[in-house]
Amino acid sequence: MAEIIVPELAESITEGTIAQWLKQPGDTVEKGEFIVELETDKVNVEVISEEAGVVSELLAAEGDTVQVGQVIAVVGAGSGSTASAPAPAAQSEAKEEVKATEAPKTPVAEETTNEQDRTIASPAARKLAREKGINLSEISPVDPMGRVRVQDVSAHGSAPTTTKAAPPSAASATKEDDGRTTREKMSRRRQTIASRLLEVRQNTAMLTTFNEIDMTNVMALRSRKKDKFFEDHDVRLGFMSFFTKAVVAALKKYPYVNSQIDGTDIVKNNFYDIGIAVSTEGGLVVPIVRDADRKNFSEIEANIGELAKKARDNKLALSDMSGGSFTITNGGVFGSLMSTPILNGTQVGILGMHTIQKRPVAIGNEIEIRPMMYVALSYDHRVIDGKDSVGFLKTVKELLENPEDLLLES
């Protein structure tokens, strides 16, 4: 017999959520084969079985929060079926079928069973509800997210048999029934993103300074070089490599922007691991371009392309996302003209790029139409003063308006 245990995920991650069971009770599993997918606030992690055998028991259901080191399944000896087991929603009932020593289940109407299956509940709560003969769908949980826990079952079971949960108000019933609203449980990643963004706003002295960049020269350079660049390096020349190199040069000039706070200390980073925000269906993730100061344009573009593909395919590893020193986010790809980016984790600076828009600007005594981009630097004022923040953004602007200088400065 072998236990499937939630592995160490990362230094700052102590729990995850069962996203999907890849094996069901009765299924054969080979040594090293994936058995479950865990969702953390950063990435999804597939857990393997260390032994070959048959899945005999699942100790957590999809949607349950599990801790590092927790036993979530048991693999026994023997051979079983590779056919698909009961649907994920009926995992708790599937457990009963593989336990020969337990009493047979009392037949229930199919409609009642489906209602219970759709109810989000911890394995312990399901077990207690079965023992007490309580229908999970009749329980009113305390959890605002709607998850039924053991204490909810206990409270329901101790109430008089004539007592029922209060029916929903006429207003809420009408909203649910007429289709005017749709209730959707937030994914674990979305909950964590929300929590961390709120934490950043509450625990930092965040300010934002803005500037605008005339993209004429960098666009002209890119237009001249992109075909030869692709021919030589088999990767497309985009704007992100220019911005990354400009950011590295500015960070070297203003090192406090490349730092973080640790208690009463300011820790200045002597490395340049630049996070590039990527939007995925599950939310925003920030994979890291390591040692961006040591990479040339083609290496940066290739690195960004690889990380973006892994993000879209949900294949990012925790090592791809940990330890960044500064972040770049590009709302311009969605058409954003101007925004205030929020700091990423313990970093004290983040650069926001925006859409390129042709606007009339004064060039000497003449008015010309130029491709302009607003850029924003959000920073932690506890570490960075206005002089450094404005100087940093001005350096980025000047380098991008004179892109040949990037070869010398970065």
Side-chain angles (χ1 to χ4, degrees):
M1 183 181 74
E3 295 178 333
I4 304 300
I5 297 174
V6 179
E8 292 288 339
L9 299 170
E11 183 178 350
S12 60
I13 300 178
T14 60
E15 63 182 21
T17 300
I18 303 291
Q20 179 183 7
W21 281 106
L22 306 177
K23 294 289 184 179
Q24 300 292 333
D27 284 356
T28 298
V29 61
E30 300 295 333
K31 182 177 180 180
E33 189 175 4
F34 294 123
I35 190 170
V36 63
E37 182 180 6
L38 297 177
E39 182 185 55
T40 73
D41 59 311
K42 292 185 176 180
V43 294
N44 284 22
V45 179
E46 292 175 320
V47 180
I48 64 172
S49 175
E50 298 292 344
E51 300 291 340
V54 175
V55 179
S56 60
E57 189 174 10
L58 303 182
L59 302 178
E62 291 182 0
D64 282 349
T65 297
V66 292
Q67 306 294 321
V68 170
Q70 180 179 335
V71 178
I72 55 176
V74 176
V75 175
S79 61
S81 171
T82 57
S84 179
Q91 288 171 7
S92 55
E93 282 70 24
K95 297 176 190 176
E96 301 296 325
E97 296 175 7
V98 299
K99 295 182 181 178
T101 58
E102 293 196 13
K105 292 186 289 184
T106 303
V108 294
E110 183 178 353
E111 182 178 350
T112 302
T113 302
N114 289 338
E115 287 179 346
Q116 293 208 96
D117 291 344
R118 288 193 295 267
T119 301
I120 302 173
S122 68
R126 288 185 181 275
K127 182 174 184 296
L128 183 60
R130 288 195 299 271
E131 292 173 351
K132 291 179 173 290
I134 298 173
N135 188 336
L136 285 171
S137 63
E138 297 177 354
I139 297 175
S140 298
V142 175
D143 186 348
M145 301 305 296
R147 179 173 305 204
V148 177
R149 302 189 183 278
V150 171
Q151 53 266 40
D152 298 319
V153 179
S154 299
H156 184 90
S158 62
T161 55
T162 58
T163 302
K164 292 186 178 180
S169 66
S172 64
T174 300
K175 286 183 178 180
E176 294 293 337
D177 292 342
D178 65 10
R180 288 168 62 86
T181 63
T182 301
R183 187 179 298 274
E184 178 181 333
K185 180 178 173 60
M186 293 174 71
S187 68
R188 175 176 182 79
R189 189 169 301 163
R190 177 57 59 187
Q191 292 179 52
T192 303
I193 289 172
S195 175
R196 289 192 171 179
L197 291 178
L198 184 60
E199 181 181 356
V200 167
R201 292 300 298 264
Q202 293 175 337
N203 296 329
T204 64
M206 195 182 83
L207 292 179
T208 304
T209 186
F210 299 91
N211 211 321
E212 62 178 353
I213 299 174
D214 183 345
M215 298 291 288
T216 300
N217 291 335
V218 72
M219 290 176 69
L221 177 60
R222 176 177 176 270
S223 180
R224 291 196 309 270
K225 299 294 185 180
K226 64 180 182 180
D227 292 339
K228 185 67 165 57
F229 187 88
F230 183 77
E231 180 183 330
D232 291 345
H233 305 291
D234 196 28
V235 63
R236 299 192 182 282
L237 178 61
F239 290 122
M240 287 305 301
S241 53
F242 287 95
F243 273 86
T244 301
K245 298 298 280 185
V247 160
V248 167
L251 290 175
K252 289 180 177 180
K253 190 173 181 179
Y254 298 95
Y256 283 104
V257 185
N258 197 41
S259 67
Q260 61 192 61
I261 291 180
D262 183 13
T264 57
D265 294 334
I266 298 174
V267 180
K268 288 190 287 185
N269 298 312
N270 299 319
F271 57 89
Y272 303 90
D273 289 354
I274 308 301
I276 306 295
V278 178
S279 179
T280 70
E281 290 185 2
L284 196 69
V285 293
V286 188
I288 310 298
V289 176
R290 306 285 177 188
D291 297 320
D293 58 318
R294 302 179 185 179
K295 289 183 167 71
N296 59 33
F297 280 74
S298 63
E299 291 171 329
I300 290 174
E301 291 290 355
N303 203 174
I304 291 174
E306 176 189 355
L307 291 169
K309 184 178 187 305
K310 290 173 70 175
R312 290 191 295 268
D313 295 341
N314 202 25
K315 297 298 182 183
L316 284 173
L318 291 169
S319 58
D320 292 325
M321 305 175 64
S322 59
S325 62
F326 186 88
T327 295
I328 302 173
T329 181
N330 184 7
V333 296
F334 303 111
S336 171
L337 183 62
M338 183 179 291
S339 66
T340 302
I342 297 180
L343 295 171
N344 180 25
T346 60
Q347 297 172 17
V348 298
I350 179 172
L351 179 72
M353 299 167 54
H354 300 92
T355 193
I356 300 172
Q357 186 179 66
K358 289 185 177 181
R359 296 198 297 274
V361 295
I363 306 297
N365 294 323
E366 302 294 329
I367 299 296
E368 296 185 14
I369 304 299
R370 294 290 184 97
M372 305 297 292
M373 176 194 286
Y374 287 118
V375 286
L377 174 71
S378 290
Y379 61 98
D380 192 337
H381 206 0
R382 296 176 300 168
V383 179
I384 304 170
D385 292 328
K387 179 182 177 181
D388 278 7
S389 64
V390 172
F392 174 91
L393 206 52
K394 187 169 180 285
T395 298
V396 171
K397 168 186 170 68
E398 290 172 347
L399 288 172
L400 287 165
E401 289 184 343
N402 300 278
E404 290 84 357
D405 292 346
L406 286 174
L407 298 175
L408 302 175
E409 297 292 340
S410 63

